[in-house]
Amino acid sequence: MESEIVNRKGARKVQDVPEKVLHLLNKGEIETVNLTEWLAIDHLLLVQHVFPNLGLGKNEVSAIVQAIQSNKKATAMNRTRVIGTSLYERLEDESSLEKMFEKLSTHSSDAIRAYAPFLIGLNDKLDIEQKLEKARALIADKHFGVREVVWMALRPEIDQHLDAAIQFLSTWTSDQDENIRRFITESTRPRGVWCKHIERLKEHPELALSFLDPLKADGSKYVQDSVGNWLNDASKTKPQFVIDLCDRWEKESPRKETIKIIKRARRTIDKMS
């Protein structure tokens, strides 16, 4: 691989992605290096290039291609969801599902790995704890794009089985991987970004104290920002809860990490005061 491709910084605009880079991205031979490249991928070409090599037959690939072409909301995230869902529907049994999940989740292309979470989220033979554990490697993926897709793919299941999900996720608060810890709060944000709100957590944010409290002084900025965003979400429906919690944290943990989280958590409250 040429060094200018391997060491590229990534274009700022989709139209500025070099043709050679885009060609390799659409063949699934390289990873994206920024959001612009991720948005530039032609998932139709990607599926046509990669899926036959994953063992899918011509009819299966054609059905997935048709699903892509029928999708009117052609955003990158929605295309990823449509492909993951369509692929799940093509797999007839647990054995073929497991084999395909292994191929997707270990692929060199981040865009291909991003289809894998939907094979977990849609699998009604797995309970929420099994789904979260099975998604662990994707949650810890080195690529930002895969990490964002996996929480979006599992969020509906987390919402549907909220109590069990919170109990399980709370066991991850001491995990050494910051990506794992960040997933806890990012996947359960009461309001979230580009996703359906979790109504129970909007009205009862105290349900999440079992994981919020252990993360109040997390050493990772990645986690701090997510915890702060979680509480800022909660402050829009339950401001007194956030005020009281931040006051308690400030007394219990007067550390710079906690102060950063509090500042981010209170930003809407402070703006309104």
Side-chain angles (χ1 to χ4, degrees):
M1 191 74 66
E2 298 175 18
S3 60
E4 66 264 25
I5 292 179
V6 174
N7 300 317
R8 72 193 187 283
K9 292 183 178 180
R12 292 186 177 184
K13 297 180 180 179
V14 169
Q15 59 267 32
D16 293 335
V17 177
E19 185 176 342
K20 185 181 294 185
V21 170
L22 189 58
H23 176 69
L24 292 171
L25 288 170
N26 288 335
K27 290 184 69 176
E29 294 184 6
I30 59 173
E31 289 194 335
T32 62
V33 297
N34 62 7
L35 180 60
T36 300
E37 288 190 358
W38 193 72
L39 295 173
I41 288 177
D42 185 329
H43 287 268
L44 186 62
L45 290 178
L46 184 64
V47 164
Q48 291 172 323
H49 277 301
V50 175
F51 277 19
N53 296 327
L54 298 181
L56 291 173
K58 184 180 295 186
N59 291 338
E60 294 166 316
V61 175
S62 295
I64 296 171
V65 166
Q66 185 175 2
I68 298 170
Q69 293 172 329
S70 300
N71 177 234
K72 295 179 180 179
K73 191 176 180 182
T75 64
M77 183 60 211
N78 203 51
R79 281 275 168 92
T80 300
R81 181 182 290 108
V82 166
I83 293 166
T85 300
S86 183
L87 179 56
Y88 176 80
E89 293 169 350
R90 308 272 86 74
L91 301 171
E92 298 179 352
D93 53 51
E94 283 298 305
S95 176
S96 59
L97 188 63
E98 184 61 35
K99 289 177 182 177
M100 182 56 64
F101 176 77
E102 179 65 21
K103 291 176 181 178
L104 294 178
S105 62
T106 58
H107 200 275
S108 58
S109 165
D110 59 283
I112 295 294
R113 296 201 302 279
Y115 302 144
F118 296 96
L119 302 192
I120 300 173
L122 295 169
N123 190 343
D124 58 10
K125 292 183 172 59
L126 301 175
D127 60 32
I128 187 59
E129 294 91 344
Q130 291 171 321
K131 289 181 180 184
L132 289 167
E133 189 58 48
K134 191 173 183 62
R136 187 185 180 93
L138 293 168
I139 292 168
D141 197 280
K142 65 182 184 300
H143 196 280
F144 71 92
V146 178
R147 296 197 302 270
E148 291 305 296
V149 172
V150 71
W151 73 254
M152 291 184 188
L154 293 181
R155 184 176 166 93
E157 288 296 297
I158 290 171
D159 186 10
Q160 187 174 350
H161 306 282
L162 188 60
D163 293 328
I166 288 175
Q167 184 176 1
F168 184 87
L169 289 170
S170 296
T171 68
W172 282 357
T173 56
S174 59
D175 196 281
Q176 292 186 354
D177 191 324
E178 66 175 0
N179 295 325
I180 297 288
R181 302 196 307 277
R182 188 248 190 184
F183 176 86
I184 300 169
T185 43
E186 205 63 25
S187 65
T188 59
R189 282 180 59 177
R191 290 176 177 268
V193 181
W194 307 315
C195 59
K196 183 181 176 182
H197 294 178
I198 299 180
E199 296 298 329
R200 280 187 69 200
L201 289 177
K202 285 169 63 176
E203 296 304 318
H204 300 283
E206 69 277 4
L207 293 172
L209 283 172
S210 61
F211 61 69
L212 290 173
D213 273 331
L215 296 175
K216 67 179 179 291
D218 197 281
S220 165
K221 184 181 184 302
Y222 196 45
V223 179
Q224 292 165 16
D225 287 350
S226 184
V227 175
N229 288 339
W230 198 107
L231 289 170
N232 185 61
D233 282 358
S235 75
K236 295 172 184 177
T237 45
K238 296 294 179 179
Q240 195 59 50
F241 167 81
V242 176
I243 291 169
D244 292 343
L245 183 62
C246 288
D247 287 347
R248 174 165 69 81
W249 282 4
E250 194 169 10
K251 293 174 183 176
E252 293 176 354
S253 177
R255 298 168 53 179
K256 63 179 182 180
E257 294 86 356
T258 307
I259 300 305
K260 287 180 181 178
I261 292 173
I262 290 173
K263 183 177 180 180
R264 195 173 190 89
R266 289 184 54 110
R267 65 184 185 273
T268 297
I269 294 171
D270 292 340
K271 189 182 297 184
M272 299 296 291
S273 61

